[in-house]
Amino acid sequence: MKISKLVGDRFKERPSDCVIDSHALMIRGGYMKYVANGIFSLYTPTKRIVRKVEQIIREEMDKIDGQEVLFPVALPASLWEESGRLESVGNELLRFTDRNKNPMVLGMTHEEAAVQLVREYGQTYSKYPFMIYQIQTKFRDEARPRAGLIRVREFTMKDAYSFHTSQEDLEQYYDRCLKAYDRIFERAGIPEVVTVAADSGMMGGSISHEYMLLTPVGEDSLAICSACDYKSNMEAAKSIVSNDNKLPLAELELVATPNASTIEDVAKFLKVPMENTCKAVVYQKHATGQYVIAFLSGDLDISESKLQNVIGEDISAAVIEEDSGIVAGFIGPNGLSDDIQIVYDESIKGVNNLVVGANKVDYHYTGFNADRDLDEIKYVDVAKVTEGGICPVCGKPALTLSRGIEVGNIFQLGTKYSESMDMKYVDEDGESKAPIMGCYGIGVGRLVASVCEASHDDYGPIWPMAIAPWQVHVCCLRVDDEECKNYADGLYAKLQDVNAEVIYDDRKIRPGAMFSDADLLGVPIRVVVSPRNMKESCVEIVTRDKKITKQVNLDDAVSEIQALIVELNTI
Amino acid sequence: MKISKLVGDRFKERPSDCVIDSHALMIRGGYMKYVANGIFSLYTPTKRIVRKVEQIIREEMDKIDGQEVLFPVALPASLWEESGRLESVGNELLRFTDRNKNPMVLGMTHEEAAVQLVREYGQTYSKYPFMIYQIQTKFRDEARPRAGLIRVREFTMKDAYSFHTSQEDLEQYYDRCLKAYDRIFERAGIPEVVTVAADSGMMGGSISHEYMLLTPVGEDSLAICSACDYKSNMEAAKSIVSNDNKLPLAELELVATPNASTIEDVAKFLKVPMENTCKAVVYQKHATGQYVIAFLSGDLDISESKLQNVIGEDISAAVIEEDSGIVAGFIGPNGLSDDIQIVYDESIKGVNNLVVGANKVDYHYTGFNADRDLDEIKYVDVAKVTEGGICPVCGKPALTLSRGIEVGNIFQLGTKYSESMDMKYVDEDGESKAPIMGCYGIGVGRLVASVCEASHDDYGPIWPMAIAPWQVHVCCLRVDDEECKNYADGLYAKLQDVNAEVIYDDRKIRPGAMFSDADLLGVPIRVVVSPRNMKESCVEIVTRDKKITKQVNLDDAVSEIQALIVELNTI
């Protein structure tokens, strides 16, 4: 391919709406174009990368006995009704009606479609286990698409579904899939991706993991133990608080705390440590509007997703009405309306002496002790873990907080879909049972953007050989120099003859402009043909990451380049 | 792959709702599953075929300098507003709103998205010509999906868009694309596909062609000249009528034709040839309800799409209201309301003596002569061509009518989209101009079903080697015979070692059941390992089309199979 014919514009200025480098570079490099909020068209370089990534995924899925299928993008809403998700999933599920007024949805994940496809096939135990997967367009009507291909509304995804007759079999397969994912990320050029424990969210099921590329620009917060192997999404990381008693047991006492409506103000005013204050956080249930109040240690933050899992339904930040009896800034556990659902975090368990709100403006109680002052209460974990917090596995105060981009996820779904959708098989002993499912996703576009995020410099992406849009970028610095041009033309032809993937720049432009375009395209091997080199009967070979720079003899160029392609394509 | 693990059911009974063989066989063979009206999931065999077809298409598109891109499935309605098609296209365009109430559509074709992608890129003449294409899911809300993958609502399509600075350049490229299409159909195993002139319909533009697989079960009607090269979709075939005067000129005379309200009755009653009667056909404009009446020779049928093109807007069969002044069965050109749009077909031009309706129950006129009895009228071509009709190219009465499945189409779009969407480039002489476009489509799933329709027997598809789901099907007839099983296992392994695509049947089932499954999977080469063959130290190799049957020595099996794969994969 000649770069003069490559459709798409490359330019220098960083677009002002790009918050992360990969987004900016992929816009600047002519990789994609904005069509609508969270919706992009992809130009040829991206499409070439995507096809290579898809092929890597396909090979690894086939290796673990996956069978590639294709589910529809547009699905009848009735399928989602069967699983119960037509109701339970929010606005991200795009619902519409067709010309005959049939309710439909755009597939954002395909558990229902997978069960529908194999419901008849999987009627006897001998057919199990099996795994089916697809690589297909999905639509998720995200409220806040951002960061280019990282969070979009329309995206290509590999989603796989496995079916088993026992939990053990699922776990064995889950483990094979974990390893296949490791190979995929390694082959795609981001072996540094880590596996973290995850919250299953709307997918259902118990155990799930996410694959995270650690980067400060990631959307997800992670807790990683520096003393052991523990890694978890913050949403799923168990918060453990030592609850040391810094203050002695005391009597409950109503005290005036004028104008002290934040936890920091109260602690300062009463001269108690933050750990001896009790914070209240107010939410409302999405469906009914019922208030939910969580009490937790004043030095901790609430984890909204943990709280949502405890409540078992969608919640959102509360609007506190006059007649609710809730006194913002002074909320305490005593004397709240019975209509309010109250949740106690484990961080206040066993603390002798807490400051809590008195449900009265400008008043708090001191000396509060939950076990003593409240009827039998159940403590749950709804607090976020903290930097330096206690690791739930090794018990050391060694948690570190990081950020990451989720590049893949795997779930043990259990029988949520098979049971709700009435998929049954007859077991060896003649019993009818619901198969146990797992599901396994990778967003293709997000993976591509993540590789760019992990591997770039100020001038452009540095694509790994295995997924690069082209393998070799030939720059003819002086097309008006006949010797130069003839050699470059010949090299371009010869490289194509040996099936190298070449992009060739024979435009009459400044070397600087030529090199910035090459940087933006991020092709691993650059070959520079210039009059100066020609005089010495050689060309210059430079890798995009600058690790290799060498002059090679004109006659050896093709074989040297071929060898370098193999060398860089280690996986 | 072992057939015992292949997801999907195969069965014997033809489903009652399948009107064509390919649909029945692809359901019976576990190729796809119904999800909703016109929406299917595809099982692994189809997905494997589809990937090969896509790769053939990709290679041929790349050969004619195409650049693969990807447009979104969900598009902002505003793009379609720009081109004017948001209004002009009917219910097939699925419209919906997203969570923020933004109007969106599901892409059924991507001219608008193509222009949006290259509008900035293509601003100077030096960038031209270029062609971009994608292979992507589309949704078209068809009123009547039918025939399996032939007419569906959701489908995968290759759609290509070319951009040019002159009509000559477009025509040259169009010709290259015509040839690329020929190669695609040849490689996919249906070289018999013919190119026919077509009607451009909602795409706009003037010249267009369709690729047709001739088959009695096709949806499209075609006119093919047996004396020359002329081939056309009926909708686009010019109707030429000799208009011989069988009756002499006569006076206009009102005659009673009691109870003769059909053309046949009238001709019989008045004892005149059908060619001397004039038929009236009534439609209504979709938008306004205005009546449209077309007059044509009594022995011809109206072509609704020709009439629609003449009218320039959507029409549908009329509901004749009491106050319309239209007297069904007795409609004639004289005395109709001015509110009615009247169209005269060329078949009544120059005919001396016609019987026409008198717009009065039980009365007709005889001796009608359009040129004499009407104010200056314009004749147009709105009649269907007929079997034995006159070829518009060679002039011989040699037209034959056939049916076909449209497997591809190509359009010269002109500047319809570039002008409406304000895409401009600066020409060599500094002038600002709208580029000229072409577009080129192939439905992938329909192509697969068409190959099945063209190449099957009563027992299943006969897939051509180039797109077959597997190349070799090994049948071990007696898994309980150790020698047999060992050899078959080894053959399966060895064939995989030489990268042959093998499906292996080592189930303990009757040979009859094994062979019907093999027939339904349609793999080109079948290898039968049986105790009887083993005794003679050989295996049996049979091609799916039964053209080759041979015994080969056990030790030669792999090399013989390899040679046969090459031999059958001629293209």
Side-chain angles (χ1 to χ4, degrees):
Chain A
M1 165 112 235
K2 287 194 178 184
I3 203 170
S4 55
K5 299 310 279 177
L6 181 65
V7 170
D9 292 307
R10 289 165 301 281
F11 54 91
K12 229 174 172 164
E13 305 71 30
R14 183 180 173 110
S16 59
D17 62 334
C18 294
V19 291
I20 67 172
D21 287 350
S22 58
H23 184 191
L25 293 174
M26 290 182 72
I27 292 288
R28 286 181 50 208
Y31 288 86
M32 61 206 215
K33 185 166 185 197
Y34 178 92
V35 177
N37 194 17
I39 299 178
F40 293 90
S41 282
L42 305 182
Y43 287 107
T44 300
T46 317
K47 185 67 202 174
R48 292 178 68 100
I49 296 169
V50 160
R51 274 179 40 214
K52 290 183 181 182
V53 169
E54 289 177 356
Q55 187 54 26
I56 289 173
I57 294 175
R58 185 174 285 130
E59 285 170 16
E60 295 299 336
M61 289 296 104
D62 288 348
K63 265 188 217 160
I64 57 168
D65 302 323
Q67 296 183 45
E68 190 174 1
V69 300
L70 190 72
F71 303 116
V73 174
L75 295 165
S78 56
L79 268 186
W80 283 63
E81 222 160 11
E82 284 187 51
S83 72
R85 288 207 290 188
L86 191 63
E87 283 295 306
S88 68
V89 174
N91 282 339
E92 297 106 67
L93 179 65
L94 200 140
R95 296 150 172 98
F96 64 97
T97 52
D98 70 9
R99 66 187 293 166
N100 296 318
K101 306 286 171 239
N102 295 311
M104 313 270 298
V105 304
L106 289 185
M108 56 187 278
T109 169
H110 280 81
E111 285 72 17
E112 288 82 358
V115 170
Q116 194 264 350
L117 186 64
V118 299
R119 202 154 35 181
E120 287 80 24
Y121 170 74
Q123 289 180 341
T124 73
Y125 71 95
S126 62
K127 304 288 180 91
Y128 291 79
F130 58 89
M131 185 272 264
I132 49 178
Y133 73 95
Q134 67 164 349
I135 301 175
Q136 165 73 307
T137 304
K138 288 190 160 29
F139 193 89
R140 193 171 297 194
D141 207 355
E142 293 280 353
R144 279 173 295 278
R146 62 179 286 279
L149 295 186
I150 299 290
R151 184 163 294 275
V152 287
R153 297 200 292 165
E154 181 171 321
F155 52 99
T156 300
M157 189 160 174
K158 184 283 297 174
D159 44 324
Y161 307 90
S162 71
F163 296 79
H164 310 268
T165 54
S166 73
Q167 177 64 23
E168 299 70 54
D169 195 58
L170 166 63
E171 283 169 18
Q172 267 176 31
Y173 191 80
Y174 191 82
D175 202 52
R176 283 179 76 191
C177 196
L178 268 162
K179 294 192 182 100
Y181 268 42
D182 284 339
R183 286 194 298 272
I184 289 168
F185 297 122
E186 194 182 346
R187 291 180 63 183
I190 42 173
E192 66 269 34
V193 161
V194 298
T195 316
V196 306
D199 171 46
S200 298
M202 70 141 187
M203 302 299 291
S206 46
I207 294 177
S208 68
H209 286 91
E210 289 166 344
Y211 287 79
M212 289 285 176
L213 176 72
L214 301 184
T215 158
V217 303
E219 292 189 298
D220 283 272
S221 296
L222 311 176
I224 299 181
C225 180
S226 58
C228 78
D229 264 355
Y230 180 73
K231 296 183 189 69
S232 176
N233 193 310
M234 280 263 278
E235 294 175 357
K238 186 165 173 48
S239 162
I240 296 178
V241 181
S242 56
N243 299 357
D244 300 330
N245 274 308
K246 295 195 178 162
L247 297 180
L249 203 64
E251 290 300 301
L252 198 64
E253 189 182 341
L254 187 69
V255 295
T257 51
N259 299 319
S261 64
T262 71
I263 280 291
E264 289 77 14
D265 292 345
V266 173
K268 213 169 159 183
F269 180 81
L270 296 175
K271 299 193 179 67
V272 297
M274 291 280 281
E275 302 94 285
N276 283 84
T277 62
C278 174
K279 178 190 273 184
V281 194
V282 191
Y283 284 91
Q284 273 180 296
K285 293 188 182 176
H286 194 73
T288 60
Q290 188 193 359
Y291 289 105
V292 173
I293 297 182
F295 290 103
L296 69 165
S297 176
D299 62 337
L300 297 179
D301 286 324
I302 189 86
S303 161
E304 197 171 311
S305 29
K306 283 185 183 178
L307 181 59
Q308 190 152 302
N309 286 344
V310 164
I311 300 297
E313 52 185 289
D314 270 14
I315 53 172
S316 50
V319 177
I320 296 174
E321 306 281 349
E322 290 278 352
D323 61 357
S324 65
I326 297 173
V327 186
F330 303 91
I331 305 169
N334 278 324
L336 287 172
S337 155
D338 285 348
D339 293 344
I340 299 171
Q341 182 170 351
I342 302 176
V343 169
Y344 299 97
D345 183 64
E346 287 176 353
S347 56
I348 60 169
K349 180 178 177 182
V351 180
N352 279 340
N353 186 331
L354 281 169
V355 175
V356 299
N359 294 320
K360 186 173 164 188
V361 175
D362 287 349
Y363 282 90
H364 279 81
Y365 284 106
T366 58
F368 179 81
N369 178 301
D371 290 313
R372 182 192 66 196
D373 299 330
L374 294 171
D375 290 339
E376 43 181 284
I377 60 177
K378 202 182 129 205
Y379 297 100
V380 292
D381 170 24
V382 293
K384 279 186 185 166
V385 295
T386 54
E387 181 80 32
I390 296 168
C391 169
V393 169
C394 72
K396 294 188 184 139
L399 286 186
T400 62
L401 301 186
S402 302
R403 299 191 72 82
I405 298 172
E406 181 196 335
V407 289
N409 53 41
I410 62 180
F411 297 87
Q412 294 186 15
L413 295 173
T415 55
K416 170 175 162 130
Y417 297 93
S418 49
E419 277 188 357
S420 60
M421 296 184 71
D422 203 26
M423 177 174 179
K424 291 252 164 55
Y425 69 93
V426 177
D427 206 352
E428 233 164 327
D429 50 18
E431 250 185 279
S432 178
K433 292 180 180 166
I436 296 166
M437 290 174 64
C439 81
Y440 317 88
I442 294 181
V444 176
R446 184 186 283 187
L447 177 52
V448 171
S450 299
V451 173
C452 180
E453 196 59 44
S455 176
H456 71 272
D457 59 19
D458 290 349
Y459 311 105
I462 303 173
W463 298 113
M465 184 60 83
I467 68 164
W470 291 273
Q471 298 168 323
V472 187
H473 192 132
V474 175
C475 297
C476 177
L477 288 200
R478 287 278 298 278
V479 285
D480 51 355
D481 177 305
E482 200 180 338
E483 204 191 345
C484 216
K485 176 74 160 70
N486 283 344
Y487 180 80
D489 283 355
L491 181 63
Y492 175 52
K494 277 181 215 154
L495 285 169
Q496 288 179 300
D497 287 345
V498 297
N499 291 320
E501 299 169 17
V502 199
I503 182 148
Y504 177 31
D505 197 343
D506 65 345
R507 292 174 300 171
K508 198 176 171 180
I509 57 170
R510 293 180 298 105
M514 199 176 270
F515 290 146
S516 15
D517 272 3
D519 282 340
L520 281 169
L521 287 176
V523 172
I525 301 173
R526 186 180 307 171
V527 184
V528 181
V529 184
S530 71
R532 201 196 319 167
N533 286 330
M534 290 298 290
K535 247 178 232 158
E536 299 168 32
S537 291
C538 64
V539 294
E540 194 188 353
I541 294 179
V542 195
T543 55
R544 176 66 184 82
D545 60 10
K546 309 276 159 70
K547 284 187 185 149
I548 299 173
T549 309
K550 56 182 173 182
Q551 311 263 93
V552 306
N553 198 284
L554 291 182
D555 295 336
D556 302 335
V558 173
S559 57
E560 286 269 356
I561 292 164
Q562 281 187 285
L564 197 52
I565 291 173
V566 174
E567 188 188 325
L568 296 178
N569 203 353
T570 47
I571 308 157
Chain B
M1 165 113 237
K2 287 193 178 182
I3 203 170
S4 55
K5 299 311 279 176
L6 181 65
V7 170
D9 292 307
R10 289 165 302 281
F11 54 91
K12 227 170 170 170
E13 305 70 31
R14 184 182 174 110
S16 59
D17 62 334
C18 294
V19 292
I20 68 173
D21 288 348
S22 58
H23 183 192
L25 292 174
M26 290 182 73
I27 292 288
R28 286 183 48 209
Y31 288 87
M32 62 205 213
K33 185 164 184 198
Y34 178 93
V35 176
N37 194 17
I39 300 178
F40 292 89
S41 281
L42 305 182
Y43 287 107
T44 300
T46 318
K47 186 65 202 177
R48 292 179 67 101
I49 296 169
V50 159
R51 276 179 39 214
K52 291 184 180 182
V53 168
E54 288 178 356
Q55 187 54 27
I56 290 172
I57 293 175
R58 185 173 285 129
E59 285 169 17
E60 295 299 337
M61 289 295 104
D62 288 349
K63 264 188 218 159
I64 57 169
D65 302 322
Q67 297 182 45
E68 190 174 0
V69 300
L70 190 72
F71 303 115
V73 174
L75 295 165
S78 56
L79 269 186
W80 283 63
E81 221 159 11
E82 284 188 50
S83 72
R85 287 206 292 187
L86 190 62
E87 283 295 305
S88 68
V89 174
N91 283 341
E92 298 106 68
L93 179 65
L94 199 138
R95 296 150 173 97
F96 64 97
T97 54
D98 68 11
R99 66 188 291 165
N100 296 318
K101 307 286 170 239
N102 295 311
M104 313 270 298
V105 303
L106 289 184
M108 56 188 276
T109 168
H110 279 82
E111 284 73 18
E112 288 83 358
V115 169
Q116 193 265 351
L117 186 65
V118 299
R119 200 151 40 177
E120 287 81 23
Y121 170 75
Q123 289 180 340
T124 71
Y125 71 95
S126 62
K127 304 288 181 91
Y128 292 79
F130 59 88
M131 184 273 263
I132 51 179
Y133 72 96
Q134 67 166 351
I135 301 174
Q136 167 73 307
T137 305
K138 289 190 159 33
F139 193 90
R140 194 170 296 194
D141 207 355
E142 293 280 354
R144 278 174 294 279
R146 64 181 285 280
L149 295 186
I150 298 291
R151 183 163 294 274
V152 286
R153 297 201 292 164
E154 180 171 321
F155 52 99
T156 300
M157 190 162 173
K158 184 284 294 175
D159 44 323
Y161 306 90
S162 71
F163 296 78
H164 310 267
T165 54
S166 72
Q167 176 64 23
E168 298 70 54
D169 194 57
L170 166 63
E171 283 169 20
Q172 267 174 31
Y173 190 80
Y174 190 83
D175 201 50
R176 283 179 75 193
C177 196
L178 267 163
K179 293 193 181 97
Y181 269 41
D182 284 339
R183 286 193 299 272
I184 289 168
F185 298 121
E186 195 181 345
R187 291 181 62 184
I190 42 173
E192 66 268 34
V193 161
V194 299
T195 316
V196 307
D199 172 46
S200 299
M202 68 142 188
M203 303 298 292
S206 46
I207 293 176
S208 68
H209 286 90
E210 289 165 344
Y211 287 79
M212 289 284 176
L213 175 72
L214 302 184
T215 157
V217 303
E219 294 189 298
D220 284 272
S221 295
L222 312 175
I224 299 180
C225 179
S226 58
C228 77
D229 263 354
Y230 181 73
K231 294 182 191 67
S232 176
N233 193 309
M234 279 263 279
E235 294 175 356
K238 187 165 170 47
S239 162
I240 297 177
V241 181
S242 58
N243 298 357
D244 299 330
N245 274 306
K246 295 196 179 162
L247 297 179
L249 204 64
E251 290 299 303
L252 198 64
E253 188 181 343
L254 186 69
V255 296
T257 51
N259 299 319
S261 65
T262 70
I263 280 292
E264 289 75 13
D265 291 346
V266 174
K268 212 168 156 187
F269 181 81
L270 296 174
K271 298 193 179 68
V272 297
M274 291 281 280
E275 304 93 285
N276 283 82
T277 64
C278 174
K279 176 191 274 184
V281 194
V282 190
Y283 285 90
Q284 272 180 297
K285 293 187 182 178
H286 194 73
T288 59
Q290 186 193 1
Y291 289 103
V292 172
I293 297 181
F295 290 102
L296 69 163
S297 176
D299 62 337
L300 297 179
D301 287 323
I302 190 84
S303 162
E304 198 170 311
S305 30
K306 283 185 183 179
L307 181 59
Q308 190 152 302
N309 286 344
V310 165
I311 300 295
E313 52 186 288
D314 269 13
I315 54 172
S316 49
V319 178
I320 296 174
E321 308 280 349
E322 290 278 350
D323 61 357
S324 65
I326 298 173
V327 187
F330 302 92
I331 305 168
N334 278 322
L336 286 172
S337 154
D338 284 348
D339 295 342
I340 298 170
Q341 181 170 352
I342 301 176
V343 168
Y344 299 97
D345 184 67
E346 286 177 352
S347 57
I348 61 170
K349 180 177 176 181
V351 180
N352 279 339
N353 186 329
L354 282 169
V355 176
V356 300
N359 295 319
K360 187 174 165 187
V361 176
D362 287 348
Y363 281 91
H364 280 81
Y365 285 106
T366 58
F368 180 81
N369 177 301
D371 291 313
R372 182 194 65 197
D373 299 328
L374 294 170
D375 290 338
E376 43 184 285
I377 59 176
K378 201 183 129 203
Y379 296 99
V380 291
D381 170 25
V382 293
K384 280 185 184 165
V385 296
T386 53
E387 180 79 32
I390 295 167
C391 169
V393 170
C394 73
K396 292 185 186 143
L399 287 186
T400 61
L401 301 186
S402 302
R403 298 191 74 81
I405 298 172
E406 182 196 334
V407 288
N409 53 42
I410 62 180
F411 297 87
Q412 294 187 15
L413 295 173
T415 55
K416 170 175 162 130
Y417 297 93
S418 50
E419 277 188 357
S420 59
M421 297 184 70
D422 203 27
M423 177 174 177
K424 292 254 162 56
Y425 68 94
V426 178
D427 207 351
E428 232 164 331
D429 50 20
E431 248 184 281
S432 177
K433 291 180 181 167
I436 297 165
M437 290 173 64
C439 80
Y440 317 88
I442 293 180
V444 176
R446 183 185 286 188
L447 176 52
V448 171
S450 299
V451 173
C452 179
E453 195 59 43
S455 176
H456 71 272
D457 59 20
D458 290 348
Y459 311 104
I462 302 172
W463 299 113
M465 184 60 83
I467 67 164
W470 292 273
Q471 297 168 325
V472 188
H473 191 131
V474 176
C475 297
C476 177
L477 287 201
R478 286 279 298 277
V479 285
D480 51 354
D481 177 304
E482 202 181 338
E483 202 190 346
C484 215
K485 177 73 159 68
N486 283 345
Y487 180 80
D489 283 354
L491 182 63
Y492 175 51
K494 278 182 214 153
L495 285 169
Q496 287 178 302
D497 287 346
V498 297
N499 292 320
E501 300 168 18
V502 199
I503 182 148
Y504 176 30
D505 197 341
D506 64 347
R507 293 174 298 172
K508 199 177 168 180
I509 57 169
R510 294 181 297 107
M514 198 175 270
F515 290 145
S516 13
D517 272 3
D519 282 340
L520 282 170
L521 287 176
V523 171
I525 300 172
R526 185 180 309 171
V527 185
V528 182
V529 185
S530 71
R532 200 194 320 167
N533 286 330
M534 291 297 290
K535 245 178 234 159
E536 299 168 33
S537 293
C538 63
V539 295
E540 194 187 352
I541 295 178
V542 196
T543 55
R544 175 66 183 82
D545 61 8
K546 309 276 159 70
K547 285 185 183 150
I548 299 173
T549 310
K550 55 181 171 184
Q551 310 265 93
V552 306
N553 198 285
L554 292 182
D555 295 336
D556 302 335
V558 173
S559 57
E560 287 269 356
I561 292 164
Q562 282 186 283
L564 197 51
I565 290 173
V566 174
E567 188 188 326
L568 295 178
N569 202 355
T570 47
I571 304 155

